[in-house]
Amino acid sequence: MLYFVGQIFPYIAAAVFLVGMIWRVWTWLNVPVPFGLTLSPAPRTLTGKAAAFGRELALFRSLWSGDRGLWLAAWLMHVSLFMVIGGHIVGISTLGNEFTAIGLTSEQSQRVSGIMAVASGLLLFFTLTVLLYRRTAIPEVKRLSDPADYFDLMLILAVVVSGLHMRLTSIEVDIAAVRAYMGGILSFQPVPIPNEWIFISHFFLVNLLLLYFPFSKLVHLAGSMVNQAMLIASPPVYPSSMKVDSSRVQSNVQIWRGGSQQ
Amino acid sequence: MKPPMHVAKENEVASIGLPRVPKQDEQTAVLKKLDDLRSSMRSLMVMLENCTKCGNCAKQCHSYLGTEDYHNFPAARADLMRRIYKRYFTWTGRTFGRFFGADDFDADTLSKWLTYFYQCNECRRCAKFCPFGIDTAEVTIAARHILSEIGIMPKFMQGIAVNMNKTGNNMGIPQPAIVDCAEFMEDEMREETGLDIKIPIDKPNSDILYIPSSADFFTNVDTMIGAAKLFHYLGVNWTIPSTVLEAANFGLLFNLNVMREHNQRLKAAATAVGAKLVIQGECGHGWRAAKAYTDGCSAPVSFEIVHILDYCDQHLGKLPLKKLPLRATLHDPCNYARAGEIVEQPRRIMRACVENFVEMTPNRDENFCCGGGSGILMDEMMEIRMKLGKKKAEQVIALGKLDYLAMPCSICKAQIPVVMKYYGVDDLMMGGVMDLVGKAMILGEA
Ligand code: HEM
Ligand code: SF4
Ligand code: SF4
């Protein structure tokens, strides 16, 4: 069992995540855009487009101009999420020594690293809870929500809680052992998983999340980009000499005859 | 559930080439059409698969704000299709059903679609405020297309299709009547200015093809007169094609194939007179259809397409305008502001034509729809239309005493006056922006 969870399941989850995401994005990009749907005012220059794209993806501009409360919760949730993900990569690979690069001693660095990990973890926990509460508190949103919408939030919460548990209780998980284990996984020479049940649950839940990701609304990670790209495309210019590739549309959407009497 | 509009009868839909699919085959036919559309319209697929159900769009939709009907909340509206889509076209929906928000196609599905997709004005305001830019109008367009393909549509749309087939305009005006109307307007202008200002119909070898809204020949003649005076003053060689007397493209509002066909008709008309420039008159979705859809429908085209307000704005400096003593505001038609980049042009024109121009809030690309958009001007839906127009009325009333409300779109011109009256404003002049140009322009000896 531990062998499966520690040495096989991670590969299944990662493979499903990668292949699944590529497949989802592929199915979208594979479909033509017969009619442009530029949402004006649309930026014309490449820098303008990049800026518009960035404002949406990094700052959630549309939420900002809509609902500031939701914006705050959602934005902080995503920021802390990316801090947590980044923190894992940097923190585990350097064993918490990442801040020696800016002149701290190893000990100071580990302390700062630990504080940041707990802070972003707590922020993530808190904002997820707010979003979960919001989902039940606003009548329209509650009615709109499917079980999966709650499940997504709760699955991420479970990951966060199990992660924080290792930081905030006396259970000590040896980061060096985790690094050795992760190194094994990444170099395709898996070693047994550190036998600490709380770490095992945390790691297992993360794998579940990865496995689930491409099938859930969490694909908005990629979908937001595909969608925004359509909205900021430049509108067509006339006279036009280039024929848009609408061959597929024409075969799918037949033109019915009729028209003027002439 | 009974849809709030008159639904076209079987013989009527058959007469426009969209026969009604028998009841027992509806589900199969709808799913087939949905499958076709999702594999030919990326927007539909991405928009149906990426809503996180955050609810931000609720407060941005005048349709939901006005009717307070849950299914008019953009994400809930799109969900009417999304639930079916998930159930039949996604693995998770097929396997886990409700858990992922998938629902079976049932006896109520299509009447719900007909009811609620015809209470969406395709205004795209929700897209502006959705963090992913999910544009419920795309879902609405797709839903209406699918419904019409199986022969389900409002009588109103069917009637327009009949008129368009017969005459090329949605009011069904035949060519001789068009010429009569043009002569009538020419007489009016002669009386007013003493000049011989022409409205040439079907004049061969014209450089400019002007596509007005057919309503400009009856109810909104001042808009037509404004455009005619502009062309006269600039001394250009222009004409109006009697075959496309309609900037509107109602196909966009109920069937994409009809849309394509109307769009190709525009190309044919421009080619016939050898026009290098097509100018679209004051019609909101017509402008969107011409600007954004010509590429996908009729490319390649050898002419330029501009909007009359853009054209007028380009020549604004030369025009002999006097400022009219009016306090005026502008309603931004959704398709100009969010789908057509006609935003600053009408403002510059209005500032040149009136003494006091004021903005309503919100404005430009965040403006609220008039509630008549996407051609839901059915009389039998009056009550709903008034609810959809509530937000607009509030915006206008908040400005206090006004003399003129400009709304450069024929659908707005049909909807807003009724809305304003309903909400107790009946001493307000309303009309297009070209109307103002026509009135402010000093022509002849006068
Ligand atoms: C570039 C990447 C991403 C962008 C631009 C993005 C953007 C958004 C936005 C705008 C929302 C709507 C606001 C809300 O409902 O809270 C949202 C919701 C959500 N996102 Fe993301 N996201 C990204 C990546 C991720 C990732 C990687 C995850 C999870 C692992 C995630 C998890 C969620 C969840 C669970 C919700 C729903 C929150 C709720 O139920 O209210 N997002 N995202
Ligand atoms: S397009 Fe306009 S009317 Fe339709 S759902 Fe969006 S905001 Fe509402
Ligand atoms: S704002 Fe966009 S993501 Fe949020 S509920 Fe509406 S359509 Fe869905």
Side-chain angles (χ1 to χ4, degrees):
Chain A
M1 186 61 197
L2 269 193
Y3 179 74
F4 177 76
V5 170
Q7 276 136 289
I8 298 180
F9 191 50
Y11 290 110
I12 299 180
V16 169
F17 174 74
L18 281 176
V19 176
M21 285 307 283
I22 292 170
W23 168 69
R24 285 298 289 266
V25 174
W26 170 249
T27 59
W28 296 330
L29 296 185
N30 199 24
V31 174
V33 185
F35 311 117
L37 52 150
T38 314
L39 192 64
S40 56
R44 292 302 155 85
T45 59
L46 203 60
T47 21
K49 284 186 204 295
F53 211 66
R55 270 198 303 276
E56 262 328 317
L57 293 187
L59 300 175
F60 294 8
R61 199 210 62 94
S62 296
L63 280 186
W64 171 261
S65 47
D67 177 342
R68 297 280 155 92
L70 171 60
W71 175 82
L72 189 68
W75 192 73
L76 285 178
M77 189 273 272
H78 285 83
V79 167
S80 51
L81 179 73
F82 284 103
M83 277 176 62
V84 166
I85 295 173
H88 275 72
I89 297 170
V90 184
I92 293 175
S93 60
T94 64
L95 296 180
N97 288 318
E98 63 268 32
F99 295 109
T100 52
I102 56 161
L104 299 189
T105 64
S106 169
E107 201 169 301
Q108 284 167 330
S109 171
Q110 285 177 30
R111 173 120 27 93
V112 173
S113 179
I115 291 171
M116 282 187 62
V118 172
S120 41
L122 281 176
L123 185 60
L124 182 54
F125 174 79
F126 179 70
T127 49
L128 282 167
T129 317
V130 170
L131 288 173
L132 189 60
Y133 166 75
R134 181 183 170 276
R135 210 165 261 297
T136 58
I138 301 178
E140 298 101 334
V141 181
K142 183 174 181 187
R143 186 161 170 200
L144 186 68
S145 300
D146 304 312
D149 297 319
Y150 296 103
F151 180 79
D152 294 8
L153 286 172
M154 288 193 288
L155 181 58
I156 303 174
L157 268 174
V159 172
V160 176
V161 169
S162 59
L164 282 173
H165 196 279
M166 286 183 280
R167 289 281 185 181
L168 295 179
T169 65
S170 53
I171 299 171
E172 273 298 316
V173 174
D174 181 1
I175 301 185
V178 170
R179 178 166 80 162
Y181 169 67
M182 288 308 296
I185 297 267
L186 290 177
S187 58
F188 294 100
Q189 280 149 359
V191 293
I193 188 164
N195 200 345
E196 178 58 62
W197 68 270
I198 186 74
F199 173 73
I200 295 172
S201 346
H202 180 63
F203 189 67
F204 181 71
L205 286 167
V206 171
N207 284 318
L208 266 190
L209 182 61
L210 285 179
L211 192 68
Y212 171 74
F213 204 99
F215 306 103
S216 68
K217 72 169 185 186
L218 297 177
V219 292
H220 69 270
L221 160 71
S224 55
M225 300 184 207
V226 176
N227 208 17
Q228 294 294 350
M230 283 189 286
L231 298 184
I232 60 173
S234 298
V237 180
Y238 305 100
S240 66
S241 49
M242 198 183 62
K243 180 96 180 81
V244 169
D245 174 27
S246 54
S247 49
R248 286 177 57 140
V249 187
Q250 266 158 358
S251 63
N252 279 333
V253 183
Q254 295 300 327
I255 299 171
W256 62 274
R257 288 287 121 220
S260 58
Q261 286 169 327
Q262 297 84 326
Chain B
M1 153 166 260
K2 194 179 169 313
M5 76 287 280
H6 302 318
V7 183
K9 298 199 178 60
E10 283 191 21
N11 59 334
E12 291 169 337
V13 289
S15 76
I16 60 163
L18 296 170
R20 174 90 115 250
V21 167
K23 194 104 205 135
Q24 70 275 14
D25 300 335
E26 269 177 3
Q27 175 171 346
T28 331
V30 165
L31 294 180
K32 168 83 177 58
K33 291 287 171 198
L34 183 53
D35 199 11
D36 285 350
L37 271 194
R38 77 178 182 123
S39 49
S40 45
M41 259 170 87
R42 183 186 302 165
S43 55
L44 184 64
M45 193 171 191
V46 176
M47 284 162 189
L48 289 179
E49 293 186 16
N50 278 292
C51 174
T52 59
K53 313 236 162 150
C54 70
N56 193 42
C57 45
K59 286 189 262 22
Q60 309 304 340
C61 174
H62 63 284
S63 170
Y64 178 57
L65 293 174
T67 59
E68 295 176 9
D69 182 333
Y70 168 74
H71 291 294
N72 280 331
F73 154 23
R77 188 194 317 281
D79 238 31
L80 290 172
M81 182 184 274
R82 187 177 286 122
R83 301 186 83 80
I84 305 294
Y85 175 89
K86 284 187 173 167
R87 168 67 183 79
Y88 298 94
F89 300 112
T90 66
W91 173 77
T92 40
R94 269 195 298 267
T95 320
F96 300 100
R98 281 267 161 86
F99 184 83
F100 281 101
D103 257 339
D104 287 335
F105 187 99
D106 63 30
D108 238 13
T109 303
L110 292 186
S111 48
K112 276 206 180 120
W113 283 21
L114 190 57
T115 304
Y116 292 109
F117 286 117
Y118 279 98
Q119 286 180 47
C120 166
N121 293 115
E122 300 183 1
C123 76
R124 310 187 82 198
R125 198 169 191 271
C126 46
K128 233 359 339 140
F129 289 88
C130 169
F132 311 118
I134 292 177
D135 182 357
T136 304
E138 290 288 303
V139 181
T140 296
I141 289 173
R144 293 184 183 188
H145 174 79
I146 294 172
L147 285 172
S148 67
E149 284 284 305
I150 64 162
I152 299 180
M153 68 194 77
K155 171 81 181 85
F156 183 78
M157 293 292 173
Q158 184 269 345
I160 285 171
V162 170
N163 285 343
M164 293 292 287
N165 284 351
K166 243 194 303 208
T167 59
N169 61 74
N170 63 32
M171 295 173 75
I173 319 168
Q175 208 257 5
I178 295 172
V179 175
D180 273 358
C181 290
E183 280 168 6
F184 167 79
M185 288 187 269
E186 287 169 355
D187 289 346
E188 288 246 302
M189 289 187 280
R190 194 173 301 115
E191 243 166 65
E192 186 201 335
T193 64
L195 296 174
D196 208 14
I197 302 173
K198 287 269 170 253
I199 299 185
I201 308 290
D202 291 331
K203 186 163 74 62
N205 301 323
S206 297
D207 304 330
I208 296 180
L209 192 71
Y210 180 57
I211 315 284
S213 166
S214 56
D216 295 356
F217 275 72
F218 293 103
T219 34
N220 310 322
V221 283
D222 284 337
T223 308
M224 187 66 242
I225 287 176
K229 284 184 178 172
L230 172 71
F231 292 133
H232 173 85
Y233 183 79
L234 295 174
V236 292
N237 173 17
W238 69 292
T239 192
I240 293 174
S242 65
T243 48
V244 195
L245 188 71
E246 185 55 76
N249 185 334
F250 273 77
L252 181 59
L253 311 179
F254 82 104
N255 185 292
L256 290 171
N257 294 325
V258 177
M259 190 272 298
R260 182 188 298 274
E261 198 253 330
H262 286 174
N263 190 286
Q264 288 170 348
R265 197 193 301 225
L266 171 68
K267 179 179 176 178
T271 316
V273 298
K276 282 275 155 281
L277 177 61
V278 168
I279 300 184
Q280 287 271 321
E282 293 192 355
C283 169
H285 78 268
W287 172 239
R288 182 178 184 199
K291 174 78 183 161
Y293 285 74
T294 298
D295 210 13
C297 293
S298 312
V301 297
S302 56
F303 45 84
E304 205 183 326
I305 303 177
V306 303
H307 192 276
I308 182 75
L309 296 179
D310 197 8
Y311 183 77
C312 180
D313 177 51
Q314 285 169 24
H315 299 282
L316 196 59
K318 305 183 211 154
L319 304 180
L321 297 171
K322 60 163 193 292
K323 286 195 180 190
L324 305 167
L326 300 173
R327 183 169 190 263
T329 189
L330 172 72
H331 157 70
D332 285 282
C334 308
N335 281 300
Y336 291 178
R338 279 184 287 271
E341 306 193 314
I342 304 293
V343 179
E344 298 307 328
Q345 300 92 324
R347 288 180 164 74
R348 281 193 289 266
I349 297 173
M350 285 186 70
R351 285 200 191 95
C353 292
V354 301
E355 279 172 2
N356 187 0
F357 175 73
V358 288
E359 291 279 7
M360 57 175 83
T361 10
N363 56 48
R364 298 185 166 82
D365 54 315
E366 294 191 356
N367 193 27
F368 279 104
C369 175
C370 66
S374 79
I376 55 168
L377 292 170
M378 301 98 166
D379 287 336
E380 68 271 21
M381 276 179 61
M382 199 50 95
E383 205 182 313
I384 292 174
R385 276 170 55 194
M386 293 306 108
K387 289 183 183 165
L388 301 191
K390 182 156 168 257
K391 203 71 209 169
K392 185 87 265 155
E394 288 170 9
Q395 276 186 290
V396 176
I397 291 168
L399 288 177
K401 179 81 186 87
L402 280 172
D403 303 308
Y404 192 81
L405 169 58
M407 37 199 188
C409 162
S410 279
I411 285 180
C412 306
K413 285 171 191 165
Q415 162 84 351
I416 294 184
V418 199
V419 169
M420 294 318 299
K421 191 140 185 264
Y422 183 86
Y423 289 98
V425 180
D426 41 20
D427 55 345
L428 179 59
M429 268 199 300
M430 291 172 251
V433 170
M434 288 313 291
D435 308 35
L436 288 177
V437 175
K439 294 200 176 98
M441 205 185 299
I442 310 157
L443 289 177
E445 302 85 86

